[in-house]
């Protein structure tokens, strides 16, 4: 390290490496050795894996059935379901099981994930027939022998459990999803907002862009241009924020009133049911419908 | 992006098993609405017999139809359809007003049950005439 | 005001009218069903009976409004459903006018029938 | 090849703020991020953002608290700049629509936080980070700033001058996850690294799976020194199965810690006879682990945090999200049973050495956020000081990179700031296996911007090709071994032997990594490949942490050493620095600046 001068440390490495190669090369070349070791290891790994799977006790394992698809890889172009047996522990989530399956059995198993705590919105999946966050879903709560995991319905599948989110992002962007006050106080002053008003928009600000709601909505499935519950909720978040002011609110109402806006919602409630952040989406959509009617009636 | 990857059965047919109350309510409401508007057109068509110069045509047509058992049963069906559409319509009106949203699934089930009850209760009145 | 008025979106109006007509229909439809199936059994209906009822101005007006609102409500409902199904462009326009025509015919014929039922003519 | 004035790598709080700042200066700026911005881990922060907003409060007090909290290992110019800029930054956020919690009169609420002499923590419910992240992303959308999301930056395009301080950064090379395409991003004015924390060096952490220390590792290998890497904060209450954080709020409201024998451990064994459960994070974390080590842990792993006695009403009212967390991530109903908790890695105080303007010793390369070490937190970060750091230093880096006229930094960077040679004897040779400067050719031949980029792109293509072609180990094994080893030895308790063990394990892991390959053959969304590359970064960062821990022979802030049970101010008010040195790391020291142009700080005992 730093106490040593550089050349010294370098020679040391060279020396030790040279020594290592010398003893080995009597028998085989380093390349051969590496390949042999690789081969041996592969066999070992395989054996370990088999053993791991076999020793798994029926009782404390769960079976996950995972959707597989890859447009490029032969054998995966036809969608299929793969079964994995995963050792169960208390508190295990579906995401834990997926990670285990990937790291132990098949490293090509592909899914998005990051925070493991329901804040990043990466891992909304179709689990046992419902849109849920894998990280937020306790396997024990599913009450079923096998857990079926699929990518979100009504979105293009990129690979395995990964869907294309572009359309969802586009819909979010189309409602001008940013705070844009009519006027702002001077530089070092904050705006005022009543606690009641904050309370009113609170739930709507919790959205983590997971796309579960959009995927669950039959209307959004049929009508690709429908803004969808998340985007409408986003519009609600700003339209109802008293800090933005009346003029902006009027504009926002116009956005959600468009052809494929709020009127498309048929109050099916499935969005509200699947939202992992418990946002009362239908309620917000309905309130915006009334706001729209009100703002139109004003001018009669 | 209009469609997701075709997952065959799961996507096309299997989904209904995963529908929740709100989705069923929507489907039923749609169905009943269409039946009702369809009925309205036929209804007016039948009543058009009233414009005939002889009033008896009207009376005969209506009573002739009413004499058919099948028509009586269809009427029961119509009642069921109308009652459900009304009850669920009321439910939807409340939803539009933002009232009782937490109970939306229960109110749907209540609509179903009530529809069933009213329909069964009215069977004697409807079918009575022809069978008796 | 004028420019606000011009930016008015029909989506909202139709939505609102659908609800308003629904509220009206609740009462009238229930009344209609009750009167013609429970109070007067459908099988006992005669032209004479109908004519008596229809000759009352109040009843006549109610029934005529029933016809108009139900037509609007029903046809508008169908139209919405079709739009939600993805109807667009020229086909949407065609369907729209077709529905409008059908409604007008229905209301016209309904009105003719209703008038025939009264002993006014 | 894409080209922009400023390239920001990472779109968490720091990256977003930097991008907005550069945009404010009129620069053409792009965010390149491996996760969509709203998926960044800033969204997980719960507690709040410190800023001296109140008239009775002052930035000097905030600076004083921060310095004291750092256990006098922070640099005064960083601390002062931070405390001065924080209020304006928080007001900015408010103007951008951040849904702060409010008082009756409509002003922003502030609450007290550990180690602060004034209630200066602004917050938005228990989801402050989520709101901060989203509020800033919204402003990025509003400004039309280009975002390349799901682009994984694999390396920096840096000239290959011999001396890192002569090097210049001309951009980055990134891999588009969806398509497998490798592209260059040319930065005319600067590259800002804002890639977040290195939590994945440990196997039990509150950090996201994506927090693999990529930025730090890339900068390190490009020649920027790592600073105070041993300074890792451990949070005492995280859920055992996932590492999800259970906020300090539970103990604040009166939650109690019990060991396996049902004893109230904080008092029973005298860990903190006054403050009890509310003692500072490091004290509680050590207490819990001592219990486990002495056989009084539950299932030999954790202790119980009980809040049932608070009553359902109070719990639902104030700690509702905790109920959800315990239920969702541990399957435990906090109203019915105690919640299992154990210490988990939480935050890295150290990181990429940079100055108050975010600049590193490499020209055109900046760092901001958790990945950076301006040296604001020193040996211990105060709760609520990380989020404002993202704002303050993110903004400064963005402004500076975009060419705003700013005062010269007081903090010196680079090897030339060295004051003392290091004196550690690692048990094995650290650094790259067969170090030959694989990450920088170091012959001064490639200096032209385009050439540098082309060269780097070529190297990355080769690297990816090699990883894809091989038929070897799964990186996951290598990664998890290192994580386990780090958590076992370079944790809350650190002993010389343990740290050496970790270094040996890391060495072994480095050797095994040579044989790692990617088994998924697809170019489409190949996360196997991404994770494999990340693992390399995890190794470099973990090693740096362990080396720092071995070097620092004292107990300061978060860094506890079995052999040295006190703070040794005469010898150790200095930063541990680590230069990659083209593959053969070198440890050295640099002085801590306890004096800024405004004030001078006198080390005092850190007691609360
Ligand atoms: C559970 C938890 C609670 C916390 N609570 C608080 C609190 O109450 N108050 C407080 O002040 N602090 C808190 N902190 C600390 C604070 O939240 C973090 O230090 C801070 O959010 C880090 O922000 P960042 O912008 O540096 O990084 P991150 O938000 O982690 O963002 C990193 C970004 O870099 C990108 N990235 C990474 N690698 C690459 C690559 N190779 N190529 C391209 N992009 C890349 C990622 O996509 C991401 O966008 C908390 C931390 C945790 C974990
Ligand atoms: C009696 C009380 C009635 C009530 C309360 C009622 C209520 C409603 C409501 C609220 C809707 C709108 C649903 C939506 O857009 O989400 C609707 C739709 C509809 N109604 Fe009614 N309605 C009533 C009677 C009728 C009658 C008499 C008819 C037939 C003429 C009718 C036909 C329809 C049709 C066709 C739809 C559209 C269904 C669809 O979405 O496809 N309704 N009704
Ligand atoms: S509204 Fe809910 S379900 Fe929809 S994207 Fe946001 S968090 Fe997900
Ligand atoms: S599921 Fe769809 S129909 Fe409306 S209530 Fe939700 S958006
Ligand atoms: S992993 Fe972040 S929401 Fe599930």
């Amino acid at each position: 390290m730093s106490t040593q001068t550089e050349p010294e440390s370098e020679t040391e490495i060279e020396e030790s490496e040279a020594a290592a190669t010398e003893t080995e090369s009597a028998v085989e070349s380093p390349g051969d050795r590496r390949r042999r070791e690789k081969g041996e290891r592969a066999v070992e790994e395989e054996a370990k894996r088999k053993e791991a799977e076999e020793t798994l006790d029926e009782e404390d394992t769960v079976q996950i059935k995972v959707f597989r698809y890859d447009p490029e890889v032969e054998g995966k172009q036809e969608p299929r379901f793969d079964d994995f047996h995963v050792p169960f522990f208390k508190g295990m989530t579906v995401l834990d099981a997926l990670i285990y399956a990937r790291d132990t059995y098949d490293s090509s198993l592909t899914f998005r994930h990051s925070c493991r705590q329901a804040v990043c919105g990466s891992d909304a999946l179709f689990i046992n027939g419902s849109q849920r966050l894998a990280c937020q879903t306790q396997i024990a709560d599913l009450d079923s022998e096998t857990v079926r995991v699929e990518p979100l319905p009504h979105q293009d599948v990129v690979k395995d459990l990964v869907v294309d989110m572009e359309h969802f992002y586009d819909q979010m962007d189309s409602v001008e999803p940013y705070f844009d006050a009519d006027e702002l106080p001077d530089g070092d002053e904050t705006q005022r907002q009543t606690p009641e008003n904050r309370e009113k928009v609170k739930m709507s600000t919790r959205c983590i862009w997971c796309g579960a709601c959009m995927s669950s909505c039959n209307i959004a499935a049929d009508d690709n241009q429908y803004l969808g519950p998340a985007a409408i909720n986003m519009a609600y978040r700003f339209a109802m924020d008293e800090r933005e002011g009346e003029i902006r609110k009027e504009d926002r109402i116009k956005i959600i009133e468009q052809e494929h806006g709020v009127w498309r919602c048929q109050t099916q409630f499935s969005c509200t049911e699947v939202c992992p952040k418990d946002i009362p989406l239908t309620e917000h959509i309905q309130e915006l419908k009334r706001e729209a009617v009100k703002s139109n009636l004003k001018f009669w | 992006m209009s469609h997701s990857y075709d997952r065959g059965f799961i996507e096309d047919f299997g989904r209904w098993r995963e529908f929740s109350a709100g989705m069923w309510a929507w489907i039923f409401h749609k169905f009943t609405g269409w039946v009702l508007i369809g009925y309205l057109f036929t209804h007016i068509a039948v009543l058009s017999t009233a414009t005939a110069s002889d009033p008896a045509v009207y009376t005969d047509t209506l009573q002739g139809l009413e004499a058919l058992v099948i028509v009586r049963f269809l009427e029961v069906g119509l009642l069921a359809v109308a009652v459900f559409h009304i009850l669920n319509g009321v439910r939807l009106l409340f939803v539009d007003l933002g009232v009782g949203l937490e109970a939306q699934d229960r109110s749907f089930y209540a609509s179903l049950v009530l529809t069933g009850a009213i329909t069964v209760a009215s069977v004697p009145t409807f079918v009575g005439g022809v069978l008796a | 005001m004028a420019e606000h008025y011009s930016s008015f979106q029909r989506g909202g109006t139709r939505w609102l009218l659908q609800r308003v007509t629904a509220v009206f229909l609740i009462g009238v439809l229930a009344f209609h069903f009750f009167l013609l199936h429970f109070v007067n059994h459908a099988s006992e209906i005669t032209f004479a009976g109908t004519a008596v009822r229809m000759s009352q101005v109040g009843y006549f007006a109610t029934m005529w409004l029933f016809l108009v609102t139900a037509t609007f409500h029903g046809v508008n409902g169908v139209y919405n459903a079709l739009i939600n199904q993805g109807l667009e462009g020229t086909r949407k326009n065609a369907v729209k006018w077709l529905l409008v025509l059908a409604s007008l015919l229905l209301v016209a014929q309904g009105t003719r029938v209703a008038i025939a039922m009264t002993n006014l003519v | 090849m894409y080209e922009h004035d400023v390239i920001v790598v990472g779109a968490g709080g720091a990256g977003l703020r930097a991008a907005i700042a550069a945009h404010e200066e009129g620069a053409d700026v792009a965010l390149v991020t491996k996760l969509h911005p709203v998926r960044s881990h800033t969204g997980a922060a719960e507690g709040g953002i410190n800023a001296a907003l109140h008239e009775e409060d002052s930035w000097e007090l905030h600076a004083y608290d921060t310095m004291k909290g750092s256990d006098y290992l922070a640099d005064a110019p960083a601390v002062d700049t931070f405390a001065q800029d924080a209020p304006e930054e928080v007001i900015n956020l408010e103007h951008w629509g951040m849904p702060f919690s409010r008082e009756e009169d409509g002003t922003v609420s502030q609450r007290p936080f550990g180690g602060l002499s004034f209630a200066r923590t602004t917050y938005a419910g228990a989801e402050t980070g989520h709101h901060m992240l989203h509020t800033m992303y919204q402003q990025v959308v509003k400004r039309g700033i280009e975002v390349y999301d799901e682009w994984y930056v694999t390396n920096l395009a840096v000239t290959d001058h011999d001396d890192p301080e002569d090097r210049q950064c001309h951009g980055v090379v990134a891999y588009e996850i969806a398509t497998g395409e490798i592209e260059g991003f040319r930065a005319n004015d600067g590259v800002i690294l804002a890639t977040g924390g290195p939590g994945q060096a440990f196997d039990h952490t509150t950090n996201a799976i994506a927090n693999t220390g990529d930025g730090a590792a890339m900068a390190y290998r490009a020649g920027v020194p790592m600073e105070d890497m041993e300074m890792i904060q451990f949070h005492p209450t995280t859920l055992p199965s996932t590492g999800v954080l259970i906020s300090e709020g539970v103990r604040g409201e009166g939650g109690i810690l019990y060991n396996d024998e049902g004893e109230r451990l904080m008092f029973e064994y005298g860990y903190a006879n006054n403050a009890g459960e509310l003692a500072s994070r490091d004290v509680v974390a050590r207490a819990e682990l001592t219990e486990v080590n002495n056989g009084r842990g539950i299932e030999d792993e954790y202790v119980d945090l009980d809040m049932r006695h608070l009553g359902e009403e109070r719990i639902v009212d104030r700690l509702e999200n905790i109920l959800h967390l315990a239920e969702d991530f541990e399957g435990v109903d906090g109203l019915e049973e105690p919640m299992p908790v154990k210490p988990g890695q939480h935050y890295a105080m150290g990181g990429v050495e940079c100055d108050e303007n975010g600049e590193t010793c490499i020209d055109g390369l900046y760092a901001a956020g958790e990945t950076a070490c301006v040296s604001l937190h020193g040996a211990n970060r105060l709760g609520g000081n990380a989020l404002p750091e993202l704002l303050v230093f993110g903004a400064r880096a963005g402004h500076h990179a975009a060419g705003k006229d700013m005062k010269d930094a007081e903090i010196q960077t680079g090897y030339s700031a060295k004051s003392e040679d290091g004196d550690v004897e690692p048990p094995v040779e650290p650094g790259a296996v067969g170090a030959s400067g694989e990450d920088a050719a170091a012959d001064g031949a490639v200096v032209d911007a385009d050439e540098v980029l082309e060269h780097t792109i070529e190297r990355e293509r080769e690297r990816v090709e090699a990883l894809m072609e091989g038929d070897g180990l799964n990186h996951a094994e290598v990664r998890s071994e290192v994580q386990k080893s780090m958590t076992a030895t370079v944790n809350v308790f650190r002993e010389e032997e343990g740290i050496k063990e970790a270094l040996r394990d890391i060495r072994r892991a480095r050797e095994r990594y040579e044989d790692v390959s990617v088994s998924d053959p697809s170019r489409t969304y190949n996360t196997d490949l991404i994770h494999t590359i990340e693992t390399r970064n995890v190794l470099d960062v973990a090693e740096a942490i362990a080396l720092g821990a071995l070097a620092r022979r004292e107990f300061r802030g978060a860094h506890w050493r079995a052999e040295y049970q006190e703070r040794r101010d005469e010898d150790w008010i200095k930063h541990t620095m680590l230069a990659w040195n083209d593959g053969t790391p070198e440890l050295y020291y640099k002085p801590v600046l306890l004096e800024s142009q405004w004030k001078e700080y006198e080390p005092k005992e850190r007691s609360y």
Side-chain angles (χ1 to χ4, degrees), chain A residues 16-299:
Chain A
S16 59
E17 281 207 343
T21 10
E22 230 172 87
T23 41
E24 296 273 343
S25 61
V27 205
E28 56 187 342
S29 79
D32 281 341
R33 184 200 57 191
R34 240 206 326 276
R35 271 186 289 279
R36 174 177 54 79
E37 280 179 0
K38 232 181 191 182
E40 281 169 11
R41 224 178 1 246
V43 175
E44 243 172 70
E45 295 298 316
E46 189 53 38
K48 251 202 281 181
R49 177 173 313 175
K50 279 235 174 66
E51 196 185 289
E53 269 207 73
E54 272 162 21
T55 49
L56 289 182
D57 195 332
E58 270 296 309
E59 297 212 341
D60 38 22
T61 65
V62 277
Q63 187 188 34
I64 54 173
K65 256 183 158 2
V66 186
F67 179 88
R68 303 302 299 274
Y69 164 75
D70 189 318
E72 272 185 68
V73 177
E74 219 170 312
K76 270 179 90 181
Q77 279 150 337
E78 260 315 298
R80 59 162 201 252
F81 280 88
D82 278 356
D83 288 351
F84 298 99
H85 294 268
V86 175
F88 177 78
F89 60 84
K90 184 173 181 316
M92 187 181 217
T93 63
V94 173
L95 181 63
D96 292 331
L98 287 171
I99 291 177
Y100 184 93
R102 179 193 66 199
D103 289 351
T104 330
Y105 304 130
D106 182 354
S107 61
S108 70
L109 179 57
T110 306
F111 47 95
R112 288 192 183 94
H113 63 302
S114 182
C115 70
R116 305 165 299 141
Q117 48 191 282
V119 295
C120 76
S122 305
D123 60 345
L125 297 172
F126 198 55
I127 301 168
N128 276 8
S130 177
Q131 287 80 0
R132 316 172 204 247
L133 296 181
C135 64
Q136 202 191 23
T137 307
Q138 288 281 319
I139 288 182
D141 290 349
L142 287 174
D143 263 337
S144 96
E145 304 269 293
T146 56
V147 179
R148 201 184 67 201
V149 189
E150 297 165 66
L152 285 182
H154 307 310
Q155 269 153 303
D156 270 338
V157 179
V158 176
K159 172 173 166 183
D160 290 357
L161 301 175
V162 174
V163 294
D164 189 339
M165 295 289 283
E166 270 327 299
H167 179 62
F168 177 79
Y169 295 150
D170 286 347
Q171 299 306 74
M172 289 303 240
D173 281 355
S174 69
V175 299
E176 300 178 9
Y178 42 77
F179 186 80
D180 189 16
D182 291 346
E183 53 188 322
L184 281 173
D186 285 339
D188 54 355
E189 289 256 329
T190 60
Q191 307 162 89
R192 300 292 172 100
Q193 182 185 26
T194 60
E196 293 73 37
N197 185 251
R198 177 185 129 86
E199 201 55 34
K200 183 167 182 64
V201 296
K202 184 177 98 184
M203 293 308 277
S204 66
T205 60
R206 294 175 60 179
C207 175
I208 55 173
W209 295 48
C210 68
C213 52
M214 183 90 154
S215 163
S216 81
C217 176
N218 279 326
I219 302 297
D222 265 0
D223 175 5
N224 217 24
Q225 282 163 278
Y226 175 41
L227 288 177
I232 296 175
N233 174 66
M234 181 64 86
Y236 177 95
R237 180 252 170 280
F238 293 109
M240 294 301 164
D241 192 320
E242 66 186 12
R243 289 176 295 173
E244 269 203 343
E246 285 303 314
I247 303 174
R248 197 66 175 96
K249 179 169 177 178
E250 208 49 50
D251 292 343
R252 293 205 181 273
I253 298 289
K254 272 181 206 140
I255 296 174
I256 52 96
E257 254 199 308
Q258 59 175 285
E259 164 100 37
H260 297 272
V262 282
W263 309 117
R264 285 302 170 90
C265 168
Q266 305 287 304
T267 60
Q268 291 192 29
F269 284 93
S270 63
C271 54
T272 305
E273 276 158 21
V274 300
C275 176
K277 291 286 151 184
D278 298 332
I279 302 171
L281 293 164
T282 314
E283 190 176 326
H284 290 166
I285 298 172
Q286 294 300 85
E287 192 169 342
L288 282 179
K289 287 180 187 166
R290 296 197 297 276
E291 285 292 321
V293 168
K294 259 197 278 177
S295 87
N296 290 332
L297 284 181
K298 256 193 286 185
F299 303 107

Side-chain angles (χ1 to χ4, degrees), chain C residues 15-74:
Chain C
W15 182 83
L16 183 62
L17 282 177
Q18 182 79 353
R19 320 286 128 169
V20 173
T21 50
V23 172
F24 177 74
L25 286 171
I26 299 173
V28 186
L29 185 64
F31 165 73
H32 180 71
F33 240 101
F34 196 64
L35 188 72
L36 296 180
H37 289 279
F38 293 87
V39 179
N40 307 295
H41 284 245
S43 51
E44 287 145 25
I45 285 183
T46 60
F47 185 79
T50 305
V52 170
R53 283 193 293 277
M54 288 300 274
S55 297
Q56 296 162 270
V57 181
Y59 186 81
F60 179 88
T62 315
M63 282 303 111
W64 189 77
L65 267 181
F66 181 24
L67 172 71
V68 175
T69 47
T71 307
F72 173 84
H73 181 95

Side-chain angles (χ1 to χ4, degrees), chain D residues 316-572:
Chain D
V316 171
D317 183 38
R318 308 206 185 158
L319 299 168
E320 194 192 335
N321 75 317
I322 302 297
L323 286 178
H324 292 309
L325 292 176
E327 175 74 44
D328 294 341
F329 302 112
E330 199 67 47
V332 163
D333 181 353
L335 290 174
E336 299 285 326
E337 40 192 335
M339 300 172 285
V341 292
K342 71 179 201 182
Q345 190 279 350
H346 184 51
Y347 184 84
M349 275 73 78
V352 179
E353 183 202 42
C354 63
D355 63 26
E356 311 95 283
N357 297 331
E359 234 183 339
T360 68
C361 67
I362 292 183
D363 198 24
L365 184 61
Y366 296 76
E370 192 170 334
T371 203
C373 180
V374 207
S375 202
L376 167 65
H377 308 300
N380 178 51
R381 171 180 75 90
L382 294 181
N385 257 0
L387 295 180
E389 174 196 12
L390 308 180
L391 299 171
V392 169
F393 293 108
R396 294 181 74 88
H399 283 140
H400 198 274
K404 184 175 176 177
D405 206 10
M406 290 162 79
K407 78 169 175 57
D408 283 342
E410 289 177 56
I411 294 172
Q412 300 295 309
T413 57
Y415 189 72
S416 57
K418 161 171 130 174
S419 61
E420 225 182 299
D421 279 338
D423 51 350
V424 283
E425 227 28 89
V428 285
E429 206 54 48
V433 173
S436 57
E438 51 151 327
D439 288 299
D443 54 8
V446 187
V447 289
D448 170 70
D450 283 330
E451 221 181 305
V452 170
L453 264 156
E454 286 306 334
H455 183 74
T456 320
I457 294 171
E458 212 33 62
R459 264 210 328 252
E460 290 309 305
R461 292 214 168 111
E462 280 163 20
R463 165 151 84 143
V464 167
E465 223 40 66
L467 284 173
M468 298 280 288
E469 259 166 28
D471 165 33
L473 276 178
N474 180 353
H475 81 96
E477 284 182 46
V478 178
R479 188 192 285 205
S480 84
E481 267 168 34
V482 169
Q483 290 172 331
K484 286 203 186 90
S485 174
M486 289 294 282
T487 295
T489 56
V490 197
N491 208 333
V492 176
F493 292 126
R494 297 168 172 183
E495 293 173 31
E496 175 144 355
E497 232 349 274
I499 303 171
K500 287 188 169 163
E501 193 53 49
L503 283 166
R504 275 186 220 109
D505 288 342
I506 292 167
R507 188 73 205 165
R508 202 163 31 247
R510 278 193 185 284
E511 274 153 16
R512 294 187 71 194
Y513 187 84
E514 295 292 297
D515 282 340
V516 152
S517 67
V518 176
S519 66
D520 185 349
S522 180
R523 294 274 160 191
T524 308
Y525 222 92
N526 193 330
T527 50
D528 193 5
L529 173 68
I530 297 300
H531 295 153
T532 305
I533 298 176
E534 283 173 352
T535 294
R536 165 76 204 271
N537 298 333
V538 167
L539 291 176
D540 287 343
V541 174
E543 185 184 78
I545 295 170
L547 281 172
L550 186 63
R552 187 174 288 278
R553 291 187 296 276
E554 65 161 346
F555 167 22
R556 180 183 300 272
H559 177 67
W560 184 98
R561 279 288 298 266
E563 304 84 4
Y564 310 93
Q565 287 286 312
E566 78 263 6
R567 197 172 89 185
R568 298 165 64 197
D569 283 354
E570 7 23 282
D571 292 334
W572 285 100

